[in-house]
Amino acid sequence: MQDELIARAKAWLAEDPDAETRDELAKLVDAEDVTELAARFSGTLQFGTAGLRGELGAGPMRMNRSVVIRAAAGLAAYLSAKGETGGLVVIGYDARHKSADFARDTAAVMTGAGLRAAVLPRPLPTPVLAYAIRHLGAVAGVEVTASHNPPRDNGYKVYLGDGSQIVPPADAEIAAEIDAVRALADVPRPDSGWETLDEGVLDAYLARTDAVLAEGSPRTARTVYTAMHGVGKDVLLAAFARAGFPEPVLVAEQAEPDPDFPTVAFPNPEEPGAMDLAFAAARAAEPDLIIANDPDADRCAVAVKAGADWRMLRGDEVGALLAEHLVRRGARGTFAESIVSSSLLGRIAEGAGLPYEETLTGFKWIARVEGLRYGYEEALGYCVDPDGVRDKDGITAALLITELASELKERGRTLLDLLDDMAVAYGLHATDQLSVRVEDLSVIANAMRRLRERPPAELAGLAVTKAEDLNEGTDRLPPTDGLRYTLDGARVIVRPSGTEPKLKCYLEVVLPVGGHADLAAAHARAAELLTAIKRDLSAAAGI
């Protein structure tokens, strides 16, 4: 076993094109570090609808140039098999470690396979890549990013020519082509032949951002902004300047790209502590709202003054606010969200006489809804201009929420005031999440098996009126690994994360509200129920 493991490591080492990972792996081989080698050679990173994502390092279970070259070769073979030889593939990348290398390798592989490749001019937000695919008439796009994952990770996200991320069966077909790649020496990788795009594609994207705002709308709201050490700052500042908003006050410590993310353990605005510096900046600057992007700027977080201090709005709250804003502006078309997001969007769409759709989790599904006008999911992702970007876009979402804050400001009101009005109109839809990060993935599998074998009959004293195993699919949804419980006045969905080692449980409580005077009691009751559901669900799942 040990000899076989070291032999596999040496074979990998012999064709590794990266001096850094070659040195790393050589030291492990020399030390005969069987434990670490086994972790890296126990299989291969699996390519799925999220593409690839994993820890940087040497070996097939890590993100590195060898793995990326194979992934690019598989994608190129898939495109060629679909008759797209000679088609354009656009490649974008963020500012993480190795991102520029992975982008360049991808361009070389596409060129060697007879496709045309064009690389964005520098590290830019993911929505710029999603826009560029449709703008340039590409047959596919690749974004090298690990989004809001920890600093040690990187990833590889694939889009097809419609500008949205891959879904089955494309993921399995690409994965099969990746598996068919034998030696890296068999993959042609010329040193040149691809195009590096100029600023024109970014200018076109920025021109498109203007379209999300209403002509002549107020542009007075003042913001504090953090890029979370990612690539959002320059593009967001340019978009805000074009729109005529006051220049955002930057969280200086997090403004510039830094692949080590020195001020945050996890560069995700939802994680505890990630917004502390933004809150401190807001206490000094006293803006109307805080805007945060995640590192690749496809997500947008919003925080507001609540009493004496600041608090993050939940993704569901921002999703509902943007929907209400678009309805009041006369938006037409389908409103869509993932099944784990608040059912409030359905109430808003129903009240406006608009079509409404629920999809599986992820913008790869939301973006494919026919006639989509607006889509969101609770993990801070919002698609407010589907004709321009068929994906979540943290830049245009920031513009739209700041426009809404400006309109409310002109009337002496706030985003929280509008949320209160919506609770009275539609009922209080309070959401929360129970999220468990694990080192051992078997913990997640055991929890899911336990819930399937012994589904809870009640949670927080509320009867479970319907228990669905989403693995079996529904009349509206394809199969997915998840469980959905409908309760009397509440809903719970449990699923493994598709991008992180987490078990995620999404909770919603819906309470009628007679009037504004009843809001405080409704919020207190909702918080009590959500806490009790978390407790009972944890016990049922054994987590």
Side-chain angles (χ1 to χ4, degrees), residues 218 220-221 288 321 325 328 401-419 421-422:
T220 55
D288 298 297
L321 286 167
H325 184 43
R328 293 182 182 194
I401 197 72
T402 308
E403 178 187 59
L404 173 57
S406 298
E407 290 187 0
L408 291 166
K409 182 180 180 179
E410 295 295 295
R411 305 201 305 269
R413 308 189 77 233
T414 67
L415 296 174
L416 292 179
D417 292 330
L418 181 53
L419 283 171
D421 292 349
M422 293 164 67

Side-chain angles (χ1 to χ4, degrees), residues 222-224 249-251 253 276-288 290 305 308-310:
R222 296 170 55 253
T223 57
V224 159
V249 174
L250 298 178
V251 178
E253 302 94 328
D276 286 356
L277 289 172
F279 291 159
R283 291 180 197 113
E286 298 188 347
D288 298 297
I290 299 171
K305 189 79 173 288
D309 210 350
W310 291 80

